[in-house]
Structure formats: structure tokens, C-alpha cells
Coordinates of all heavy atoms in Angstrom, one line a residue:
T1 N -7.2 8.7 -8.1 CA -6.4 9.8 -7.4 C -6.7 9.9 -5.9 O -5.8 10.1 -5.1 CB -6.7 11.1 -8.1 OG1 -8.1 11.4 -8.1 CG2 -6.1 11.2 -9.4
G2 N -7.9 9.4 -5.5 CA -8.2 9.4 -4.0 C -7.7 8.3 -3.3 O -7.6 8.3 -2.0
R3 N -7.0 7.2 -4.1 CA -6.5 6.2 -3.5 C -5.0 5.9 -4.2 O -4.5 4.9 -4.5 CB -7.3 4.9 -3.7 CG -8.6 4.9 -3.1 CD -9.5 3.8 -3.5 NE -10.0 4.1 -4.8 CZ -10.0 3.1 -5.7 NH1 -9.4 1.9 -5.5 NH2 -10.6 3.5 -6.9
A4 N -4.3 7.1 -4.3 CA -3.0 7.1 -5.0 C -2.0 6.2 -4.3 O -1.2 5.4 -4.9 CB -2.4 8.4 -5.1
R5 N -2.0 6.1 -2.9 CA -1.1 5.3 -2.2 C -1.3 3.8 -2.6 O -0.4 3.0 -3.0 CB -1.1 5.4 -0.7 CG -0.4 4.5 0.0 CD 1.1 5.0 0.1 NE 1.9 4.3 1.0 CZ 3.2 4.7 1.4 NH1 3.8 5.7 0.8 NH2 3.9 4.0 2.2
Q6 N -2.6 3.4 -2.7 CA -2.9 2.1 -3.2 C -2.4 1.8 -4.5 O -2.1 0.6 -4.9 CB -4.5 1.9 -3.0 CG -5.0 0.5 -3.3 CD -6.5 0.5 -3.6 OE1 -7.0 1.2 -4.4 NE2 -7.2 -0.2 -2.6
Y7 N -2.5 2.8 -5.4 CA -2.1 2.6 -6.7 C -0.7 2.2 -6.9 O -0.3 1.4 -8.0 CB -2.3 3.8 -7.6 CG -2.6 3.7 -9.1 CD1 -3.8 3.3 -9.5 CD2 -1.6 4.2 -10.0 CE1 -4.1 3.2 -10.8 CE2 -1.9 4.0 -11.3 CZ -3.1 3.6 -11.8 OH -3.3 3.5 -13.1
Q8 N 0.2 2.5 -6.0 CA 1.5 2.0 -5.9 C 1.6 0.4 -5.9 O 2.6 -0.2 -6.4 CB 2.3 2.5 -4.7 CG 2.5 4.0 -4.7 CD 3.2 4.5 -3.4 OE1 3.8 3.7 -2.7 NE2 3.2 5.7 -3.1
R9 N 0.5 -0.1 -5.5 CA 0.5 -1.7 -5.4 C -0.4 -2.2 -6.6 O 0.1 -3.1 -7.2 CB -0.2 -2.1 -4.1 CG 0.7 -1.8 -2.9 CD 0.1 -2.5 -1.6 NE -1.3 -2.5 -1.5 CZ -2.0 -1.6 -1.0 NH1 -1.5 -0.6 -0.5 NH2 -3.3 -1.8 -0.9
V10 N -1.5 -1.6 -6.7 CA -2.5 -2.3 -7.8 C -2.0 -2.1 -9.3 O -2.3 -3.0 -10.0 CB -3.9 -1.7 -7.5 CG1 -4.5 -2.0 -6.1 CG2 -4.0 -0.1 -7.8
F11 N -1.4 -1.0 -9.5 CA -1.1 -0.9 -10.9 C 0.2 -1.8 -11.3 O 0.0 -2.5 -12.3 CB -0.6 0.6 -11.3 CG -0.3 1.0 -12.7 CD1 -1.0 0.4 -13.7 CD2 0.6 1.9 -13.0 CE1 -0.7 0.6 -15.0 CE2 0.9 2.1 -14.4 CZ 0.2 1.6 -15.3
P12 N 1.2 -1.9 -10.5 CA 2.2 -2.9 -10.8 C 1.6 -4.4 -10.9 O 2.0 -5.2 -11.6 CB 3.3 -2.7 -9.8 CG 3.1 -1.4 -9.3 CD 1.6 -1.0 -9.4
N13 N 0.6 -4.7 -9.9 CA 0.0 -5.9 -9.9 C -0.8 -6.3 -11.1 O -0.8 -7.4 -11.6 CB -0.9 -5.9 -8.5 CG -0.1 -6.2 -7.3 OD1 1.1 -6.4 -7.3 ND2 -0.9 -6.0 -6.2
L14 N -1.5 -5.2 -11.6 CA -2.1 -5.4 -12.9 C -1.2 -5.8 -14.0 O -1.5 -6.8 -14.7 CB -2.9 -4.1 -13.3 CG -3.8 -4.2 -14.6 CD1 -5.1 -3.3 -14.3 CD2 -2.9 -3.5 -15.8
I15 N -0.1 -5.0 -14.1 CA 0.8 -5.3 -15.1 C 1.5 -6.7 -15.1 O 1.4 -7.6 -15.9 CB 1.9 -4.3 -15.2 CG1 1.4 -3.0 -15.5 CG2 3.0 -4.7 -16.2 CD1 2.4 -1.9 -15.3
T16 N 1.9 -7.2 -13.7 CA 2.3 -8.4 -13.5 C 1.3 -9.5 -13.8 O 1.6 -10.6 -14.4 CB 2.8 -8.6 -12.1 OG1 3.8 -7.5 -11.9 CG2 3.4 -9.9 -11.7
D17 N 0.0 -9.3 -13.5 CA -1.0 -10.3 -13.6 C -1.4 -10.5 -15.1 O -1.5 -11.7 -15.5 CB -2.2 -9.9 -12.8 CG -3.3 -10.9 -13.0 OD1 -3.2 -12.0 -12.4 OD2 -4.4 -10.6 -13.6
W18 N -1.3 -9.4 -15.9 CA -1.6 -9.7 -17.3 C -0.5 -10.5 -17.9 O -0.8 -11.3 -18.8 CB -1.8 -8.3 -18.0 CG -3.0 -7.5 -17.6 CD1 -3.9 -7.8 -16.7 CD2 -3.6 -6.5 -18.4 NE1 -5.0 -7.0 -16.8 CE2 -4.9 -6.1 -17.7 CE3 -3.2 -5.8 -19.5 CZ2 -5.7 -5.1 -18.3 CZ3 -4.0 -4.7 -20.0 CH2 -5.2 -4.4 -19.3
R19 N 0.7 -10.1 -17.6 CA 1.9 -10.8 -18.2 C 1.8 -12.3 -17.8 O 2.2 -13.2 -18.6 CB 3.2 -10.2 -17.7 CG 3.4 -8.8 -18.3 CD 4.6 -8.1 -17.7 NE 5.0 -6.9 -18.5 CZ 6.0 -6.1 -18.1 NH1 6.6 -6.3 -17.0 NH2 6.3 -5.1 -18.9
K20 N 1.4 -12.6 -16.6 CA 1.2 -14.0 -16.1 C 0.1 -14.7 -16.9 O 0.2 -15.9 -17.3 CB 1.0 -14.0 -14.7 CG 0.9 -15.5 -14.1 CD 0.6 -15.4 -12.6 CE 0.4 -16.8 -12.0 NZ 0.2 -16.7 -10.5
A21 N -0.9 -14.0 -17.0 CA -2.1 -14.6 -17.7 C -1.7 -14.9 -19.2 O -2.2 -16.0 -19.7 CB -3.3 -13.6 -17.6
W22 N -1.1 -14.2 -19.9 CA -0.7 -14.4 -21.3 C 0.4 -15.5 -21.4 O 0.5 -16.1 -22.4 CB -0.2 -13.1 -22.0 CG -1.5 -12.6 -22.9 CD1 -1.7 -13.1 -24.2 CD2 -2.4 -11.7 -22.5 NE1 -2.9 -12.3 -24.7 CE2 -3.3 -11.5 -23.7 CE3 -2.7 -10.9 -21.5 CZ2 -4.4 -10.6 -23.7 CZ3 -3.7 -9.8 -21.4 CH2 -4.5 -9.8 -22.5
G23 N 1.3 -15.4 -20.4 CA 2.4 -16.5 -20.3 C 3.4 -16.3 -21.4 O 4.0 -17.3 -21.9
T24 N 3.6 -15.0 -21.9 CA 4.6 -14.9 -23.0 C 5.7 -13.9 -22.5 O 6.5 -13.4 -23.3 CB 4.0 -14.1 -24.3 OG1 3.2 -12.9 -23.7 CG2 2.9 -15.1 -24.8
G25 N 5.9 -13.9 -21.2 CA 7.1 -13.1 -20.7 C 6.6 -11.7 -20.4 O 5.4 -11.3 -20.5
D26 N 7.7 -10.8 -20.2 CA 7.4 -9.4 -19.9 C 7.3 -8.6 -21.1 O 8.1 -7.8 -21.5 CB 8.6 -8.8 -19.0 CG 8.7 -9.4 -17.7 OD1 7.7 -10.0 -17.2 OD2 9.9 -9.6 -17.2
F27 N 6.0 -8.6 -21.7 CA 5.7 -7.9 -23.0 C 5.8 -6.4 -22.6 O 5.6 -6.0 -21.4 CB 4.5 -8.3 -23.5 CG 3.2 -8.3 -22.8 CD1 2.8 -7.1 -22.2 CD2 2.6 -9.5 -22.3 CE1 1.5 -7.1 -21.5 CE2 1.5 -9.6 -21.6 CZ 0.9 -8.3 -21.1
P28 N 6.0 -5.5 -23.5 CA 6.0 -4.1 -23.3 C 4.8 -3.5 -22.8 O 3.7 -3.9 -23.2 CB 6.4 -3.5 -24.6 CG 6.9 -4.7 -25.5 CD 6.3 -5.9 -25.0
F29 N 4.9 -2.7 -21.8 CA 3.7 -2.0 -21.2 C 4.1 -0.5 -21.0 O 4.9 -0.1 -20.2 CB 3.5 -2.7 -19.8 CG 2.0 -2.3 -19.4 CD1 1.0 -3.4 -19.3 CD2 1.6 -1.1 -18.9 CE1 -0.2 -3.1 -18.9 CE2 0.3 -0.8 -18.4 CZ -0.6 -1.9 -18.4
Y30 N 3.5 0.2 -21.9 CA 3.8 1.7 -21.9 C 2.5 2.5 -21.5 O 1.5 2.1 -22.0 CB 4.2 2.1 -23.4 CG 5.4 1.3 -23.8 CD1 5.4 0.7 -25.0 CD2 6.6 1.4 -23.1 CE1 6.5 0.2 -25.5 CE2 7.7 0.7 -23.5 CZ 7.7 0.0 -24.9 OH 8.8 -0.6 -25.2
F31 N 2.7 3.5 -20.7 CA 1.6 4.1 -20.0 C 1.8 5.6 -20.0 O 2.9 6.1 -20.1 CB 1.3 3.6 -18.6 CG 2.4 3.6 -17.6 CD1 2.6 4.8 -16.9 CD2 3.3 2.5 -17.6 CE1 3.7 4.6 -16.0 CE2 4.4 2.5 -16.7 CZ 4.6 3.6 -15.9

């Protein structure tokens, strides 16, 4: 919460990176 602005980048990056690492496309990500 103290770095909420940064979270606008790092959270989508986490999702994108995990999808890339598994290599199975855009699997569902519910939060």
C-alpha cells in the first residue's frame, strides 16, 4: 500500500511473467 503507484506496474508484470514462464497462454488469473 505504501507503493501503490508502483503496484500499477509490478502486479501486471507478475501476471505477464508467470504466463510467459508457463508458456501455455493467458491462463485465468483471478484476484
Side-chain angles (χ1 to χ4, degrees):
T1 52
R3 296 171 285 131
R5 179 77 174 189
Q6 181 192 63
Y7 207 74
Q8 294 180 15
R9 303 192 311 275
V10 297
F11 188 35
N13 285 349
L14 179 144
I15 296 172
T16 301
D17 182 65
W18 285 16
R19 288 171 168 174
K20 180 180 178 181
W22 259 277
T24 57
D26 293 334
F27 54 71
F29 199 108
Y30 302 127
F31 53 91

